[in-house]
Amino acid sequence: MSNVPHELLYTKEHEWVRIDGNSAVVGITEHAQRELGDVVFVELPDVGKSFEVGEPFGTVESVKAVSEIYAPLSGEITEINNEVVDSPELVNEDPYGEGWLAKFSFTTAPSGLLSAAEYERYINDEANK
Amino acid sequence: MKQTPLNARHRALGARMVEFGGWDMPVQYAGIIAEHKATREGAGLFDISHMARFWVTGPDSERFIQLIDTFDISKTAIGQSDYGIMCYEDGGIVDDIFTYHLGPDEWMVVANAGNAEKDWAWLNQHTAGYDVVLTDRSQELAMIALQGPKAESLLAPLTDADVVNLAFHGITKATVEGAAGYISRTGYTGEDGFELFLPAGEIERIWDRLLEVGATPIGLGARDSLRFEPGLALYGHEIERDINPYEAKLGWVVKLDKGPFIGSEALHDIKANGPVRTLVGLEMTGRGIARQGYPVVALDGSELGVVTTGMPSPSLGKNLAYALVKAGSLKIGAEVDVLIREKPVRATVVKTPFYKARYKK
């Protein structure tokens, strides 16, 4: 069973979003890091870059796989987690905490994100396919 | 999707399953890095029942294998095996194989899972004029590998075969925990180790026993990183329909002096003219991981070739890659760029193999 904190929002691309006022912290879910395996490389954009919802903004790589991370909302990068760039294993060890990836600021409130219950249902459906 | 006789075991062990060559296979259990290290330091247990096991028997079996294999198996004694390649007439590669000499006029050919059907058709297509019988025993016999410095000491108490004195690439009839089959001192990890060919119906019991005595289950992810470091080729990467053995640095497997075989004329010309491309090792010095298909370019941006396999090497702690590049274009120490998502990332040409195999010879 995956750990899906109820206070976060999610995407079908397995990112989590923690919204606080006009900013949002983004990472990948516990389910995503498990599917990926040992994370060995994280590439994040420069602070100040803007992304549209659904646009790839970074890359997380395991020994075997390359996985793009998609912007869960439209906004500008205000901070990136340099710790995770130096120690990619943080994504595996603490995906919802020290393994966070980037902080976005937004002007239009994000829409279409999944609640924890919806995301949990989504990954269960995927597993049973 | 096809399942090996150990499918339920993989699921019970919590493996992450993936499709590979039409098979439902474990890509990892505990994690690729942990599994990789467990094999280099202890003993890794692999389900490789998805691979093909073809028997070649009959009075012309040796002559037939000489026809389809680039290697010279006339010196492969009973109880020995050798690496070989099946080529097309133009020198491109059908598959790489292992040929095991089991007895008088009895050979086993082990081939890649993803090529099994193609190989079976290829073999059957060339039997005209040869008194041989081909039998596909892939289903009835399971195949597992036990690899690593502790493989010998774990296996020895469980079998009647003298595995301690089994030669490198040797094969012997063996009973393992009461199940009768074969054990060979072969593998695909760059470590000492064994491959076991045992009845499918009994393999779960033997798998469980090997885990009980201390082997670690290893998925296809670490199987790939373990073969990559010592430079063992993988079909679909370093070798392919349109790559010939000389390009893949497998010229030593092509024995042109043994007499004609399928592809020998083309291979003779390729050798005489020198291959157009060659395989080189790359170490990433810039930040990034080279992956299969990424272009390799000179510092002025001109095309040199393409990455065949690339990954972070768990044993060496570096981002390494093999690339197929224009022959003669790169010397050890040369700098190139690998285009990673269109961005040039610097790499240095380094000596291969990256990891020196530790076989018991």
Side-chain angles (χ1 to χ4, degrees), chain A residues 35 38 42 61-63, chain B residues 16 33 224 287 291 341:
Chain A
E35 287 292 301
D38 302 315
V42 175
E61 299 193 36
S62 65
V63 178
Chain B
R16 197 155 71 71
I33 297 171
D224 191 32
R287 237 190 130 256
R291 303 281 185 181
R341 295 175 282 280

Side-chain angles (χ1 to χ4, degrees), chain A residues 42-55:
Chain A
V42 175
E43 191 170 46
L44 295 171
D46 294 335
V47 169
K49 277 196 103 176
S50 290
F51 294 90
E52 293 293 316
V53 62
E55 219 184 320

Side-chain angles (χ1 to χ4, degrees), chain B residues 111-272:
Chain B
N112 283 302
N115 289 333
E117 281 174 40
K118 176 184 77 178
D119 293 351
W120 180 244
W122 181 256
L123 292 172
N124 279 283
Q125 210 176 304
H126 293 94
T127 53
Y130 292 84
D131 189 359
V132 290
V133 177
L134 301 179
T135 316
D136 182 355
R137 295 187 64 188
S138 311
Q139 293 248 348
E140 63 185 273
L141 276 186
M143 183 173 178
I144 57 177
L146 184 67
Q147 301 278 304
K150 293 195 175 134
E152 184 187 277
S153 62
L154 291 194
L155 184 59
L158 306 182
T159 175
D160 64 339
D162 181 9
V163 291
V164 173
N165 291 305
L166 184 62
F168 179 63
H169 284 183
I171 184 159
T172 180
K173 276 194 173 154
T175 303
V176 182
E177 291 283 279
Y182 295 90
I183 294 176
S184 65
R185 196 167 215 135
T186 48
Y188 193 51
T189 59
E191 299 299 330
D192 181 35
F194 302 90
E195 290 175 318
L196 284 62
F197 307 84
L198 296 164
E202 301 189 70
I203 201 67
E204 284 189 317
R205 191 164 58 77
I206 292 153
W207 171 269
D208 293 347
R209 188 83 184 103
L210 285 165
L211 293 183
E212 239 172 68
V213 298
T216 304
I218 312 294
L220 293 181
R223 183 166 166 81
D224 191 32
S225 58
L226 287 159
R227 69 93 197 165
F228 166 73
E229 290 176 339
L232 303 171
L234 175 60
Y235 198 89
H237 291 256
E238 288 70 37
I239 52 177
E240 250 294 8
R241 169 70 187 87
D242 66 351
I243 299 173
N244 66 62
Y246 292 108
E247 294 177 317
K249 289 215 164 141
L250 292 171
W252 63 273
V253 192
V254 181
K255 303 296 184 190
L256 292 173
D257 55 3
K258 76 168 182 171
F261 55 91
I262 302 172
S264 59
E265 273 181 45
L267 289 165
H268 187 276
D269 291 348
I270 293 165
K271 189 184 182 190

Side-chain angles (χ1 to χ4, degrees), chain A residues 43 68, chain B residues 293-295 297 337-345:
Chain A
E43 191 170 46
E68 292 201 292
Chain B
Y294 289 3
V297 300
D337 281 326
V338 177
L339 301 185
I340 300 180
R341 295 175 282 280
E342 276 94 56
K343 268 191 301 188
V345 180

